[in-house]
PDB file of all heavy atoms in Angstrom:
ATOM      1  N   GLY A  28      -6.215  -3.612 -22.015  1.00 50.00           N
ATOM      2  CA  GLY A  28      -7.492  -3.347 -22.675  1.00 50.00           C
ATOM      3  C   GLY A  28      -8.229  -2.230 -21.979  1.00 50.00           C
ATOM      4  O   GLY A  28      -7.923  -1.857 -20.845  1.00 50.00           O
ATOM      5  N   PRO A  29      -9.232  -1.646 -22.631  1.00 52.00           N
ATOM      6  CA  PRO A  29      -9.954  -0.533 -22.008  1.00 52.00           C
ATOM      7  C   PRO A  29     -10.866  -1.019 -20.883  1.00 52.00           C
ATOM      8  O   PRO A  29     -11.331  -2.132 -20.878  1.00 52.00           O
ATOM      9  CB  PRO A  29     -10.796   0.026 -23.168  1.00 52.00           C
ATOM     10  CG  PRO A  29     -10.918  -1.102 -24.125  1.00 52.00           C
ATOM     11  CD  PRO A  29      -9.674  -1.937 -23.977  1.00 52.00           C
ATOM     12  N   VAL A  30     -11.049  -0.153 -19.915  1.00 54.00           N
ATOM     13  CA  VAL A  30     -11.946  -0.407 -18.794  1.00 54.00           C
ATOM     14  C   VAL A  30     -13.327   0.081 -19.193  1.00 54.00           C
ATOM     15  O   VAL A  30     -13.472   1.137 -19.787  1.00 54.00           O
ATOM     16  CB  VAL A  30     -11.462   0.336 -17.526  1.00 54.00           C
ATOM     17  CG1 VAL A  30     -12.499   0.246 -16.425  1.00 54.00           C
ATOM     18  CG2 VAL A  30     -10.133  -0.199 -17.076  1.00 54.00           C
ATOM     19  N   ALA A  31     -14.360  -0.691 -18.844  1.00 54.00           N
ATOM     20  CA  ALA A  31     -15.732  -0.300 -19.177  1.00 54.00           C
ATOM     21  C   ALA A  31     -16.147   0.864 -18.287  1.00 54.00           C
ATOM     22  O   ALA A  31     -16.310   0.719 -17.090  1.00 54.00           O
ATOM     23  CB  ALA A  31     -16.671  -1.470 -18.983  1.00 54.00           C
ATOM     24  N   VAL A  32     -16.300   2.049 -18.883  1.00 52.00           N
ATOM     25  CA  VAL A  32     -16.727   3.243 -18.163  1.00 52.00           C
ATOM     26  C   VAL A  32     -18.190   3.459 -18.493  1.00 52.00           C
ATOM     27  O   VAL A  32     -18.601   3.338 -19.637  1.00 52.00           O
ATOM     28  CB  VAL A  32     -15.881   4.476 -18.595  1.00 52.00           C
ATOM     29  CG1 VAL A  32     -16.357   5.729 -17.903  1.00 52.00           C
ATOM     30  CG2 VAL A  32     -14.424   4.229 -18.309  1.00 52.00           C
ATOM     31  N   PRO A  33     -19.043   3.751 -17.489  1.00 52.00           N
ATOM     32  CA  PRO A  33     -20.459   3.947 -17.761  1.00 52.00           C
ATOM     33  C   PRO A  33     -20.696   5.060 -18.782  1.00 52.00           C
ATOM     34  O   PRO A  33     -19.837   5.885 -19.015  1.00 52.00           O
ATOM     35  CB  PRO A  33     -21.044   4.309 -16.411  1.00 52.00           C
ATOM     36  CG  PRO A  33     -19.959   4.282 -15.426  1.00 52.00           C
ATOM     37  CD  PRO A  33     -18.698   3.977 -16.118  1.00 52.00           C
ATOM     38  N   ASP A  34     -21.908   5.057 -19.326  1.00 54.00           N
ATOM     39  CA  ASP A  34     -22.250   6.013 -20.393  1.00 54.00           C
ATOM     40  C   ASP A  34     -22.415   7.437 -19.889  1.00 54.00           C
ATOM     41  O   ASP A  34     -22.603   8.345 -20.697  1.00 54.00           O
ATOM     42  CB  ASP A  34     -23.535   5.565 -21.103  1.00 54.00           C
ATOM     43  CG  ASP A  34     -23.321   4.277 -21.878  1.00 54.00           C
ATOM     44  OD1 ASP A  34     -22.174   4.005 -22.251  1.00 54.00           O
ATOM     45  OD2 ASP A  34     -24.306   3.557 -22.090  1.00 54.00           O
ATOM     46  N   SER A  35     -22.408   7.685 -18.594  1.00 55.00           N
ATOM     47  CA  SER A  35     -22.642   9.044 -18.093  1.00 55.00           C
ATOM     48  C   SER A  35     -21.510   9.973 -18.544  1.00 55.00           C
ATOM     49  O   SER A  35     -20.361   9.584 -18.599  1.00 55.00           O
ATOM     50  CB  SER A  35     -22.758   9.047 -16.574  1.00 55.00           C
ATOM     51  OG  SER A  35     -21.574   8.554 -15.996  1.00 55.00           O
ATOM     52  N   ALA A  36     -21.895  11.179 -18.860  1.00 58.00           N
ATOM     53  CA  ALA A  36     -20.920  12.148 -19.344  1.00 58.00           C
ATOM     54  C   ALA A  36     -19.971  12.548 -18.228  1.00 58.00           C
ATOM     55  O   ALA A  36     -20.358  12.714 -17.091  1.00 58.00           O
ATOM     56  CB  ALA A  36     -21.659  13.392 -19.857  1.00 58.00           C
ATOM     57  N   GLY A  37     -18.707  12.682 -18.578  1.00 66.00           N
ATOM     58  CA  GLY A  37     -17.722  13.122 -17.610  1.00 66.00           C
ATOM     59  C   GLY A  37     -17.203  12.034 -16.692  1.00 66.00           C
ATOM     60  O   GLY A  37     -16.481  12.334 -15.754  1.00 66.00           O
ATOM     61  N   ALA A  38     -17.572  10.779 -16.924  1.00 72.00           N
ATOM     62  CA  ALA A  38     -17.080   9.685 -16.077  1.00 72.00           C
ATOM     63  C   ALA A  38     -15.636   9.384 -16.437  1.00 72.00           C
ATOM     64  O   ALA A  38     -15.253   9.391 -17.606  1.00 72.00           O
ATOM     65  CB  ALA A  38     -17.933   8.445 -16.261  1.00 72.00           C
ATOM     66  N   LYS A  39     -14.820   9.183 -15.409  1.00 72.00           N
ATOM     67  CA  LYS A  39     -13.427   8.842 -15.657  1.00 72.00           C
ATOM     68  C   LYS A  39     -12.951   7.878 -14.576  1.00 72.00           C
ATOM     69  O   LYS A  39     -13.545   7.753 -13.525  1.00 72.00           O
ATOM     70  CB  LYS A  39     -12.572  10.096 -15.679  1.00 72.00           C
ATOM     71  CG  LYS A  39     -12.570  10.887 -14.403  1.00 72.00           C
ATOM     72  CD  LYS A  39     -11.734  12.141 -14.537  1.00 72.00           C
ATOM     73  CE  LYS A  39     -11.830  12.923 -13.240  1.00 72.00           C
ATOM     74  NZ  LYS A  39     -11.001  14.089 -13.235  1.00 72.00           N
ATOM     75  N   VAL A  40     -11.863   7.173 -14.872  1.00 75.00           N
ATOM     76  CA  VAL A  40     -11.299   6.200 -13.948  1.00 75.00           C
ATOM     77  C   VAL A  40     -10.187   6.893 -13.165  1.00 75.00           C
ATOM     78  O   VAL A  40      -9.305   7.516 -13.748  1.00 75.00           O
ATOM     79  CB  VAL A  40     -10.750   4.973 -14.700  1.00 75.00           C
ATOM     80  CG1 VAL A  40     -10.070   4.027 -13.735  1.00 75.00           C
ATOM     81  CG2 VAL A  40     -11.871   4.272 -15.439  1.00 75.00           C
ATOM     82  N   GLU A  41     -10.258   6.803 -11.821  1.00 71.00           N
ATOM     83  CA  GLU A  41      -9.222   7.356 -10.950  1.00 71.00           C
ATOM     84  C   GLU A  41      -8.700   6.252 -10.039  1.00 71.00           C
ATOM     85  O   GLU A  41      -9.381   5.248  -9.825  1.00 71.00           O
ATOM     86  CB  GLU A  41      -9.788   8.500 -10.096  1.00 71.00           C
ATOM     87  CG  GLU A  41     -10.176   9.713 -10.888  1.00 71.00           C
ATOM     88  CD  GLU A  41     -10.694  10.840  -9.991  1.00 71.00           C
ATOM     89  OE1 GLU A  41     -10.621  10.717  -8.756  1.00 71.00           O
ATOM     90  OE2 GLU A  41     -11.170  11.836 -10.549  1.00 71.00           O
ATOM     91  N   THR A  42      -7.516   6.457  -9.489  1.00 74.00           N
ATOM     92  CA  THR A  42      -6.967   5.506  -8.533  1.00 74.00           C
ATOM     93  C   THR A  42      -6.970   6.098  -7.140  1.00 74.00           C
ATOM     94  O   THR A  42      -7.035   7.317  -6.966  1.00 74.00           O
ATOM     95  CB  THR A  42      -5.516   5.116  -8.898  1.00 74.00           C
ATOM     96  OG1 THR A  42      -4.705   6.288  -8.874  1.00 74.00           O
ATOM     97  CG2 THR A  42      -5.458   4.492 -10.285  1.00 74.00           C
ATOM     98  N   ALA A  43      -6.884   5.222  -6.129  1.00 72.00           N
ATOM     99  CA  ALA A  43      -6.851   5.691  -4.740  1.00 72.00           C
ATOM    100  C   ALA A  43      -5.541   6.403  -4.437  1.00 72.00           C
ATOM    101  O   ALA A  43      -5.489   7.263  -3.567  1.00 72.00           O
ATOM    102  CB  ALA A  43      -7.044   4.521  -3.791  1.00 72.00           C
ATOM    103  N   GLY A  44      -4.476   6.076  -5.143  1.00 72.00           N
ATOM    104  CA  GLY A  44      -3.205   6.752  -4.982  1.00 72.00           C
ATOM    105  C   GLY A  44      -2.618   6.616  -3.589  1.00 72.00           C
ATOM    106  O   GLY A  44      -2.531   5.530  -3.038  1.00 72.00           O
ATOM    107  N   ALA A  45      -2.231   7.732  -3.007  1.00 73.00           N
ATOM    108  CA  ALA A  45      -1.582   7.730  -1.690  1.00 73.00           C
ATOM    109  C   ALA A  45      -2.539   7.311  -0.581  1.00 73.00           C
ATOM    110  O   ALA A  45      -2.101   6.928   0.500  1.00 73.00           O
ATOM    111  CB  ALA A  45      -1.017   9.108  -1.387  1.00 73.00           C
ATOM    112  N   PHE A  46      -3.839   7.357  -0.821  1.00 78.00           N
ATOM    113  CA  PHE A  46      -4.816   7.012   0.209  1.00 78.00           C
ATOM    114  C   PHE A  46      -5.160   5.520   0.222  1.00 78.00           C
ATOM    115  O   PHE A  46      -6.049   5.101   0.955  1.00 78.00           O
ATOM    116  CB  PHE A  46      -6.080   7.857   0.033  1.00 78.00           C
ATOM    117  CG  PHE A  46      -5.801   9.313   0.218  1.00 78.00           C
ATOM    118  CD1 PHE A  46      -5.804  10.164  -0.854  1.00 78.00           C
ATOM    119  CD2 PHE A  46      -5.521   9.820   1.473  1.00 78.00           C
ATOM    120  CE1 PHE A  46      -5.537  11.503  -0.701  1.00 78.00           C
ATOM    121  CE2 PHE A  46      -5.242  11.167   1.648  1.00 78.00           C
ATOM    122  CZ  PHE A  46      -5.239  12.010   0.563  1.00 78.00           C
ATOM    123  N   ASP A  47      -4.441   4.727  -0.565  1.00 82.00           N
ATOM    124  CA  ASP A  47      -4.628   3.290  -0.558  1.00 82.00           C
ATOM    125  C   ASP A  47      -4.141   2.757   0.795  1.00 82.00           C
ATOM    126  O   ASP A  47      -3.055   3.083   1.249  1.00 82.00           O
ATOM    127  CB  ASP A  47      -3.812   2.673  -1.698  1.00 82.00           C
ATOM    128  CG  ASP A  47      -4.108   1.216  -1.920  1.00 82.00           C
ATOM    129  OD1 ASP A  47      -4.646   0.560  -1.013  1.00 82.00           O
ATOM    130  OD2 ASP A  47      -3.781   0.723  -3.016  1.00 82.00           O
ATOM    131  N   ILE A  48      -4.959   1.957   1.465  1.00 89.00           N
ATOM    132  CA  ILE A  48      -4.634   1.455   2.802  1.00 89.00           C
ATOM    133  C   ILE A  48      -3.348   0.639   2.812  1.00 89.00           C
ATOM    134  O   ILE A  48      -2.635   0.582   3.814  1.00 89.00           O
ATOM    135  CB  ILE A  48      -5.824   0.666   3.396  1.00 89.00           C
ATOM    136  CG1 ILE A  48      -5.614   0.365   4.876  1.00 89.00           C
ATOM    137  CG2 ILE A  48      -6.029  -0.621   2.633  1.00 89.00           C
ATOM    138  CD1 ILE A  48      -5.685   1.558   5.758  1.00 89.00           C
ATOM    139  N   ARG A  49      -3.026   0.028   1.681  1.00 89.00           N
ATOM    140  CA  ARG A  49      -1.788  -0.771   1.617  1.00 89.00           C
ATOM    141  C   ARG A  49      -0.557   0.097   1.787  1.00 89.00           C
ATOM    142  O   ARG A  49       0.465  -0.369   2.310  1.00 89.00           O
ATOM    143  CB  ARG A  49      -1.733  -1.537   0.293  1.00 89.00           C
ATOM    144  CG  ARG A  49      -2.836  -2.578   0.181  1.00 89.00           C
ATOM    145  CD  ARG A  49      -2.875  -3.183  -1.183  1.00 89.00           C
ATOM    146  NE  ARG A  49      -3.309  -2.194  -2.149  1.00 89.00           N
ATOM    147  CZ  ARG A  49      -3.519  -2.432  -3.431  1.00 89.00           C
ATOM    148  NH1 ARG A  49      -3.310  -3.631  -3.904  1.00 89.00           N
ATOM    149  NH2 ARG A  49      -3.912  -1.488  -4.239  1.00 89.00           N
ATOM    150  N   ASN A  50      -0.622   1.359   1.368  1.00 91.00           N
ATOM    151  CA  ASN A  50       0.502   2.261   1.576  1.00 91.00           C
ATOM    152  C   ASN A  50       0.726   2.535   3.055  1.00 91.00           C
ATOM    153  O   ASN A  50       1.862   2.550   3.529  1.00 91.00           O
ATOM    154  CB  ASN A  50       0.284   3.590   0.828  1.00 91.00           C
ATOM    155  CG  ASN A  50       0.350   3.413  -0.661  1.00 91.00           C
ATOM    156  OD1 ASN A  50       1.095   2.594  -1.171  1.00 91.00           O
ATOM    157  ND2 ASN A  50      -0.452   4.170  -1.381  1.00 91.00           N
ATOM    158  N   PHE A  51      -0.346   2.771   3.794  1.00 94.00           N
ATOM    159  CA  PHE A  51      -0.232   3.028   5.233  1.00 94.00           C
ATOM    160  C   PHE A  51       0.280   1.798   5.975  1.00 94.00           C
ATOM    161  O   PHE A  51       1.152   1.904   6.826  1.00 94.00           O
ATOM    162  CB  PHE A  51      -1.578   3.470   5.820  1.00 94.00           C
ATOM    163  CG  PHE A  51      -2.033   4.806   5.326  1.00 94.00           C
ATOM    164  CD1 PHE A  51      -3.098   4.913   4.465  1.00 94.00           C
ATOM    165  CD2 PHE A  51      -1.374   5.967   5.725  1.00 94.00           C
ATOM    166  CE1 PHE A  51      -3.528   6.154   4.008  1.00 94.00           C
ATOM    167  CE2 PHE A  51      -1.795   7.214   5.264  1.00 94.00           C
ATOM    168  CZ  PHE A  51      -2.865   7.299   4.413  1.00 94.00           C
ATOM    169  N   ILE A  52      -0.269   0.640   5.645  1.00 95.00           N
ATOM    170  CA  ILE A  52       0.166  -0.592   6.300  1.00 95.00           C
ATOM    171  C   ILE A  52       1.635  -0.871   5.994  1.00 95.00           C
ATOM    172  O   ILE A  52       2.425  -1.179   6.883  1.00 95.00           O
ATOM    173  CB  ILE A  52      -0.712  -1.781   5.871  1.00 95.00           C
ATOM    174  CG1 ILE A  52      -2.137  -1.594   6.406  1.00 95.00           C
ATOM    175  CG2 ILE A  52      -0.131  -3.106   6.343  1.00 95.00           C
ATOM    176  CD1 ILE A  52      -3.132  -2.597   5.831  1.00 95.00           C
ATOM    177  N   GLY A  53       2.014  -0.756   4.742  1.00 95.00           N
ATOM    178  CA  GLY A  53       3.404  -0.988   4.358  1.00 95.00           C
ATOM    179  C   GLY A  53       4.358  -0.011   5.022  1.00 95.00           C
ATOM    180  O   GLY A  53       5.447  -0.397   5.466  1.00 95.00           O
ATOM    181  N   LEU A  54       3.956   1.252   5.133  1.00 96.00           N
ATOM    182  CA  LEU A  54       4.812   2.248   5.772  1.00 96.00           C
ATOM    183  C   LEU A  54       5.005   1.932   7.259  1.00 96.00           C
ATOM    184  O   LEU A  54       6.129   1.999   7.775  1.00 96.00           O
ATOM    185  CB  LEU A  54       4.198   3.639   5.607  1.00 96.00           C
ATOM    186  CG  LEU A  54       4.980   4.785   6.231  1.00 96.00           C
ATOM    187  CD1 LEU A  54       6.304   4.979   5.521  1.00 96.00           C
ATOM    188  CD2 LEU A  54       4.177   6.053   6.176  1.00 96.00           C
ATOM    189  N   LEU A  55       3.926   1.579   7.945  1.00 97.00           N
ATOM    190  CA  LEU A  55       4.049   1.267   9.376  1.00 97.00           C
ATOM    191  C   LEU A  55       4.880   0.007   9.615  1.00 97.00           C
ATOM    192  O   LEU A  55       5.735  -0.024  10.512  1.00 97.00           O
ATOM    193  CB  LEU A  55       2.664   1.102   9.996  1.00 97.00           C
ATOM    194  CG  LEU A  55       1.914   2.407  10.240  1.00 97.00           C
ATOM    195  CD1 LEU A  55       0.504   2.097  10.734  1.00 97.00           C
ATOM    196  CD2 LEU A  55       2.639   3.261  11.241  1.00 97.00           C
TER     197      LEU A  55
END
Side-chain angles (χ1 to χ4, degrees):
V30 172
V32 178
D34 293 335
S35 60
K39 61 182 178 176
V40 176
E41 293 182 7
T42 61
F46 297 107
D47 190 341
I48 191 69
R49 294 172 292 183
N50 291 326
F51 292 110
I52 293 171
L54 180 66
L55 284 175

